[in-house]
Amino acid sequence: MTLIWGSTWLVIKDQLHTVPPSWSVTYRFIVAGIAMLVWAAMRKERLGLDARGMLFAAALGVTQFVLNYNLVYVSEQYITSGVVAVVYALLLVPNAILARIFLGQRMGAQLTVGSAIAIAGVALLFVHEARLDGAETHDVVLGIAIAFGGVLFASIANVMQATRTSKAYPMATMLGWAMLLGAALDGAWSLATVGAPVIEWRLGYWAGILYLGVLGSAVAFNLYFKLIQAIGPAKAAYTGVAIPVIAMILSTLFEGYRWSWIAAGGTVLVVAGLVVALRARRPNR
């Protein structure tokens, strides 16, 4: 799962040449939603949801598969995919805050300290991006701000998935409908903002859509929730440390990402901060 999600940032970058980002997101989650419901049928899970389940799926679709992913695609128009992945590694921070507010889970001193270290690392990455030849400071600031917006909506979706309502329905069915409802809203937004669907007939584009829809969405989400069930959400969150490291390596190999001591130091701080935060002890029961 970590290898899949670590590579999706680079595939997304390849989707930005001809097709508007919102239409690429729409195509991705049509494929993902169909794949997820096929998987649910193969597992003989019920495919229908009651009115309460559909409303929850729609809310999950808006936060996770509309707002979150549209902001990811747009942010990559301004900054490299590796930096976007590093920003998303900070998902732990709003997760902890929202979990404290809505689920009553305490943050702890280690989480606070680790999050501060990680934020300092992102600041160094910003400085590195701003100093690159040809990089406009305004574009870098805008790209990171858009990515942080996506992180916030992803965090809301994560907290929703930890509620009793989410657990009351089969996971694959809930995610399948959330993806399809999200895709419908993505399509409506695309029609309203950029016009009729845009099709790119390049083989690499549609191979990317299949990769992002089937592996990057349907398969990866199933693996992630199985991981949570096997080792718990705290240890499963370590994937947030490994994913940006993989993404930065791939960005170096395929996007010509140029490292500096500032960028290296920023990456080390992000990883170190997340490790410190995630090593926080569980409260005694």
Side-chain angles (χ1 to χ4, degrees), residues 144-166:
I144 291 179
I146 292 171
F148 269 120
V151 168
L152 177 59
F153 287 113
S155 181
I156 294 171
N158 284 356
V159 173
M160 289 177 63
Q161 291 166 355
T163 62
R164 293 181 180 179
T165 302
S166 178

Side-chain angles (χ1 to χ4, degrees), residues 203-219:
L203 178 61
Y205 177 83
W206 289 104
I209 289 291
L210 288 174
Y211 183 84
L212 293 170
V214 177
L215 291 177
S217 300
V219 173

Side-chain angles (χ1 to χ4, degrees), residues 6-14 76 81 250-251 254-255:
S7 65
T8 53
W9 309 96
L10 189 62
V11 180
I12 289 172
K13 194 76 173 181
D14 184 61
E76 291 204 23
S81 64
L250 292 176
S251 182
F254 297 104
E255 294 182 302

Side-chain angles (χ1 to χ4, degrees), residues 43-64:
R43 292 171 55 86
K44 298 183 179 180
E45 296 180 357
R46 59 189 174 95
L47 299 181
L49 296 174
D50 56 22
R52 177 169 171 251
M54 278 294 186
L55 284 173
F56 187 87
L60 184 62
V62 168
T63 53
Q64 181 84 319

Side-chain angles (χ1 to χ4, degrees), residues 30-47 170-177 179-180 213-215 217-226 229:
I30 290 174
V31 172
I34 292 172
M36 191 69 79
L37 290 180
V38 168
W39 175 245
M42 292 173 62
R43 292 171 55 86
K44 298 183 179 180
E45 296 180 357
R46 59 189 174 95
L47 299 181
M171 181 183 67
T173 299
M174 173 61 72
L175 285 175
W177 281 111
M179 288 172 175
L180 288 178
V214 177
L215 291 177
S217 300
V219 173
F221 272 109
N222 270 298
L223 291 175
Y224 182 62
F225 286 112
K226 286 182 180 179
Q229 293 170 358

Side-chain angles (χ1 to χ4, degrees), residues 121 124-125 127-128 131 257-269:
L124 286 180
L125 286 170
V127 171
H128 170 74
R131 292 177 60 180
Y257 183 81
R258 289 176 287 174
W259 289 83
S260 69
W261 287 110
I262 294 176
T267 303
V268 169
L269 283 177

